[in-house]
Amino acid sequence: MDIDAFLNNLRDRSIVDKGITIRKNELSKAFNGDTIPTLDEYSAMTVELLKLSIDERKYYKDFYEKLIEKHDASLIFNAVDDNGKKEKYQFNKFEILDAMEWAIKNNRLPMSELEKYKLLKMSVEFNKFIEKYQNEKTCTIIEGKFVTVPASSFIELMTMNSKELAEVIKKDKYKDQKLDYIVYALDDFLEHKKILDKYYIPKKVDDNLSTLRENIDITYINRCLDYEVNYIRKVEVNEELKETVLSDMPESFDDLEKAFYIYYKLCSVLTYDDRYFAKRSMEEKREHKNFDRLNTITPTNNEVICYEFNSLYAKLLKEQGIVFELNGSSQYADGHVSITFRVDKFLVNADSTVGMIKSDLAYAKNGLILTGFTLENTNEQTKQQFETKIDRVYEYLRSKENEFNKHKGTVRELTYLEEAFPEDLSLEEKVAIFISMSKDSTLKPMDRIPYEIKLAKILFKEENKNKDKEQFQINYISYEPELNVPLHRTAKILTYNKKGINNTKTNNYIFINHNCEMYKTDLKEIRNSIRKGAVRGLLKDNHIIPGLTIDEMNGIFNFDLSFIPSSPSKSKWNAAIQAIYTIDDLNRNDLDTRIGKAHK
């Protein structure tokens, strides 16, 4: 272990260049002259500042010491005016070289300064880099250990021809050291020594660096090295839930495949609690802040939120010997949490609630490809290997589809129904079908959202093809089932109109609560109920309820829902259905015949 080299390396990184302090009597002259046109239009480099920098009677001593002797990547100027106002100006070596070259060519600097230009230019040549570092060794921490790599190995990899490099890449080692460790150490060296800012990099060297980065995956290095000391060690997963998730997992799966399988099964079993999604008060959050609740989560008592899901998932990963990191607060129930874990070189991010519409908790039950299980590695070969493993798990899940998916009314089913609906259905008939099929779905409210959105896109494709004259819209809202009771649930308001929902005076509005109980309402009733109850839009990209303003939707506005019975009588239910000419108004058998399997 070359600890001295390591400490010297750290000391080298901690050096702070305080820069050159411009004298107050020279501030006006330095920064008010002509700027250098070859530099960025926002650059503060002027001809006069350049002259002061290389004037031996002014700042050339500092200029030479910092850029030539110490070989800093840039030159910093500090300016303090009479009022004590401080400004810092920083120019890298290549900006200064470009400025000097332009000034000499345009006779703004005398030819006598050409030697200074040549001296600075020589200092950035790649050969100078080789001379300076070829006999040095670098020390860095890799996978919890000190690793020393001679800089000569870096130089050889950077300068060898493409055929030689290709042969090296095929092997796991170079000069008895792991190649990915060398490449990691090389990147670390280039970054902290600011090599790319100090030297001109020949195209061949630049190409070799690109080839190494494209073919050698170092993303995983120094990530997820050990289990964090956190609350996961205290988590107890309910045995019934564990049995449901793990019972059919093939022994032939490797660790990454097991990790994805467990994630998928958890998503298919658990559901996001719509009460928490619709939350307004701390009272409503309290249940999910109870750590002991984790052990009570089962396949039937399955409503969770993000940190509950990830606590259970992390514990199951740990039991499989998979190392993870928690992303978010280290304290339980203190904000959104996701997981990063590592299997071999695969560094995976898992977030089942990356978005409410795009929640994997809903996607799994709807038969959709999950979007929250993602690879952090950017290496193309690693990505292909990852996708192959994930596809293997999907293939197994599809073979067990009837066993795993017990739900009715999912996006998967709509795949087969898209062409089943007859073209001559009226708007009212389509609204009736939407309500009936949504009600028949066995999915819970949050899991049903992707299904309802897809169903609406299919049913109202023609009615909504003109964005300015859309005839149907869904808005997901939060509401109080009982007034003055601090508990909220998700619900939806359907708006439809043959003339287009922008014609708000003739719009039809249907309120449907979390139990699929419905009531016909109107915009006047919504507005007149502002003083009671509470309703708000839930989804960030949700439309404004037609007829309301942005301020009304963005703020919390009140909505008197006392007219919505918690258990509506049959007469009220039928009256609500009749209000939109739904199934009871039509010949049910005739409608079933017309849409075939679409309504079953």
Side-chain angles (χ1 to χ4, degrees):
M1 180 192 303
D2 194 352
I3 192 68
D4 290 333
F6 180 74
L7 292 175
N8 286 333
N9 197 24
L10 288 181
R11 292 190 195 101
D12 183 51
R13 294 178 190 181
S14 67
I15 292 173
V16 177
D17 188 345
K18 295 181 180 180
I20 300 172
T21 300
I22 303 293
R23 301 183 187 101
K24 291 182 180 179
N25 63 340
E26 293 171 337
L27 285 177
S28 178
K29 181 180 180 181
F31 294 105
N32 291 331
D34 295 338
T35 57
I36 307 293
T38 57
L39 302 184
D40 185 277
E41 61 178 309
Y42 302 107
S43 174
M45 174 62 77
T46 65
V47 174
E48 292 303 321
L49 180 59
L50 181 61
K51 287 180 178 178
L52 287 170
S53 301
I54 60 175
D55 189 332
E56 294 176 9
R57 297 166 298 176
K58 302 293 183 180
Y59 305 118
Y60 182 66
K61 180 181 178 182
D62 287 326
F63 178 96
Y64 182 87
E65 176 187 326
K66 293 177 186 301
L67 293 186
I68 309 298
E69 289 185 346
K70 287 179 56 181
H71 208 63
D72 290 345
S74 58
L75 196 61
I76 298 172
F77 294 94
N78 298 310
V80 183
D81 63 19
D82 292 332
N83 297 319
K85 183 180 178 181
K86 299 179 180 179
E87 295 285 354
K88 184 174 83 168
Y89 303 91
Q90 185 167 335
F91 308 96
N92 65 45
K93 273 188 169 186
F94 303 109
E95 288 179 309
I96 296 171
L97 275 168
D98 288 345
M100 291 181 74
E101 184 176 356
W102 176 86
I104 290 171
K105 284 182 179 178
N106 289 275
N107 299 317
R108 303 301 296 272
L109 283 179
M111 288 300 294
S112 59
E113 304 291 12
L114 184 60
E115 289 305 312
K116 295 174 183 176
Y117 166 75
K118 289 180 178 179
L119 186 64
L120 182 60
K121 189 173 183 180
M122 284 176 58
S123 74
V124 301
E125 291 177 353
F126 194 70
N127 283 338
K128 291 292 182 180
F129 160 75
I130 295 176
E131 288 175 12
K132 181 175 177 62
Y133 292 106
Q134 64 182 347
N135 295 319
E136 288 196 11
K137 292 183 178 181
T138 66
C139 187
T140 189
I141 295 177
I142 297 179
E143 304 290 80
K145 298 179 180 179
F146 289 103
V147 176
T148 301
V149 182
S152 58
S153 293
F154 299 155
I155 294 168
E156 289 164 10
L157 289 171
M158 294 164 73
T159 56
M160 65 178 53
N161 64 52
S162 57
K163 288 185 178 180
E164 290 175 327
L165 187 61
E167 288 301 314
V168 169
I169 289 171
K170 291 178 183 179
K171 303 172 183 177
D172 291 333
K173 292 187 175 183
Y174 181 68
K175 291 192 172 180
D176 295 325
Q177 287 188 299
K178 291 188 67 174
L179 186 57
D180 49 355
Y181 285 11
I182 294 177
V183 174
Y184 180 89
L186 171 58
D187 262 13
D188 186 65
F189 171 76
L190 293 176
E191 178 183 354
H192 291 289
K193 295 286 189 181
K194 300 185 183 300
I195 300 300
L196 303 183
D197 296 327
K198 293 179 179 180
Y199 299 96
Y200 279 124
I201 305 300
K203 184 178 183 305
K204 175 184 176 181
V205 172
D206 191 47
D207 288 345
N208 280 9
L209 289 173
S210 297
T211 300
L212 286 168
R213 289 164 180 158
E214 287 170 6
N215 290 276
I216 308 300
D217 194 348
I218 60 173
T219 310
Y220 73 93
I221 291 179
N222 288 349
R223 296 290 303 276
C224 300
L225 296 180
D226 200 357
Y227 298 112
E228 295 179 348
V229 178
N230 52 41
Y231 56 81
I232 299 301
R233 67 185 185 279
K234 299 179 182 178
V235 172
E236 293 183 9
V237 182
N238 180 277
E239 287 301 321
E240 182 185 358
L241 177 61
K242 187 184 295 187
E243 173 67 18
T244 300
V245 171
L246 301 179
S247 59
D248 292 309
M249 184 168 67
E251 292 183 5
S252 61
F253 278 178
D254 63 23
D255 283 348
L256 177 59
E257 292 164 341
K258 288 177 181 177
F260 180 61
Y261 178 87
I262 293 170
Y263 178 81
Y264 188 99
K265 285 298 294 293
L266 270 181
C267 288
S268 66
V269 172
L270 304 180
T271 188
Y272 199 90
D273 188 351
D274 79 295
R275 293 168 298 176
Y276 192 89
F277 185 50
K279 67 185 182 298
R280 296 291 179 77
S281 67
M282 292 304 295
E283 182 71 24
E284 294 169 281
K285 300 178 184 180
R286 189 166 296 161
E287 177 187 1
H288 291 286
K289 287 184 174 290
N290 182 359
F291 186 82
D292 293 335
R293 183 180 184 275
L294 288 170
N295 186 241
T296 69
I297 296 170
T298 68
T300 50
N301 181 38
N302 64 345
E303 292 182 326
V304 298
I305 60 174
C306 64
Y307 49 75
E308 289 173 321
F309 177 96
N310 284 310
S311 296
L312 296 169
Y313 183 48
K315 184 68 172 188
L316 292 173
L317 287 178
K318 186 173 183 179
E319 291 178 354
Q320 296 293 323
I322 296 173
V323 185
F324 61 86
E325 296 172 352
L326 295 178
N327 305 315
S329 175
S330 60
Q331 301 298 314
Y332 183 71
D334 186 26
H336 182 71
V337 173
S338 62
I339 288 177
T340 299
F341 68 87
R342 171 177 156 186
V343 175
D344 299 326
K345 65 180 177 181
F346 300 103
L347 196 63
V348 180
N349 295 317
D351 188 352
S352 62
T353 54
V354 68
M356 288 303 99
I357 293 180
K358 297 179 179 180
S359 162
D360 281 350
L361 293 168
Y363 272 26
K365 300 176 192 69
N366 278 281
L368 299 171
I369 298 296
L370 306 192
T371 60
F373 194 90
T374 57
L375 185 70
E376 193 170 316
N377 307 64
T378 57
N379 181 273
E380 288 300 324
Q381 293 178 358
T382 305
K383 288 195 288 187
Q384 290 174 11
Q385 293 166 1
F386 175 80
E387 290 167 6
T388 298
K389 291 178 180 293
I390 299 306
D391 286 345
R392 184 180 179 219
V393 180
Y394 274 126
E395 185 177 346
Y396 175 76
L397 290 167
R398 281 192 290 270
S399 72
K400 299 286 186 179
E401 186 173 4
N402 293 333
E403 296 177 34
F404 289 163
N405 195 339
K406 308 292 184 182
H407 292 286
K408 174 186 177 184
T410 65
V411 174
R412 180 194 283 106
E413 294 174 18
L414 295 178
T415 305
Y416 307 106
L417 299 180
E418 193 155 355
E419 305 300 326
F421 297 105
E423 296 180 358
D424 60 341
L425 287 173
S426 67
L427 176 63
E428 290 80 6
E429 288 174 321
K430 290 183 177 182
V431 173
I433 292 169
F434 177 87
I435 292 174
S436 182
M437 291 183 70
S438 174
K439 183 174 183 294
D440 287 346
S441 173
T442 59
L443 295 171
K444 289 189 176 181
M446 297 304 299
D447 297 327
R448 201 184 302 139
I449 290 176
Y451 171 69
E452 291 173 338
I453 291 175
K454 179 66 174 178
L455 177 60
K457 286 182 177 179
I458 293 172
L459 277 172
F460 304 99
K461 181 179 179 180
E462 288 301 314
E463 287 78 3
N464 285 355
K465 65 181 180 182
N466 187 334
K467 291 296 181 183
D468 296 326
K469 295 183 179 180
E470 290 184 344
Q471 299 178 32
F472 179 84
Q473 183 172 299
I474 315 171
N475 287 88
Y476 293 95
I477 61 170
S478 162
Y479 83 106
E480 289 181 357
E482 297 179 51
L483 295 178
N484 302 318
V485 176
L487 174 68
H488 289 79
R489 300 302 298 260
T490 55
K492 51 186 171 284
I493 290 178
L494 310 183
T495 307
Y496 66 99
N497 190 340
K498 289 181 181 178
K499 297 179 181 179
I501 55 178
N502 290 330
N503 295 284
T504 56
K505 292 183 179 180
T506 57
N507 277 350
N508 299 284
Y509 296 93
I510 303 296
F511 173 89
I512 304 177
N513 71 11
H514 65 289
N515 288 326
C516 292
E517 298 160 348
M518 54 183 281
Y519 194 88
K520 185 173 174 63
T521 185
D522 57 46
L523 202 56
K524 181 180 178 181
E525 195 164 25
I526 295 172
R527 283 211 174 99
N528 288 341
S529 301
I530 286 177
R531 295 180 307 277
K532 303 175 184 178
V535 160
R536 64 186 174 102
L538 284 180
L539 303 177
K540 186 181 291 186
D541 52 354
N542 210 16
H543 298 291
I544 298 170
I545 295 174
L548 296 180
T549 66
I550 293 176
D551 289 339
E552 287 173 315
M553 286 297 292
N554 287 343
I556 295 179
F557 60 88
N558 298 319
F559 191 178
D560 183 0
L561 301 176
S562 58
F563 56 80
I564 301 173
S566 57
S567 299
S569 65
K570 183 174 178 60
S571 61
K572 287 185 177 179
W573 178 261
N574 286 340
I577 293 179
Q578 286 176 0
I580 57 167
Y581 311 102
T582 57
I583 305 303
D584 287 354
D585 258 340
L586 300 166
N587 183 313
R588 179 64 180 258
N589 293 329
D590 178 57
L591 187 61
D592 279 348
T593 301
R594 291 175 68 191
I595 66 173
K597 294 181 180 179
H599 190 62
K600 293 180 179 178

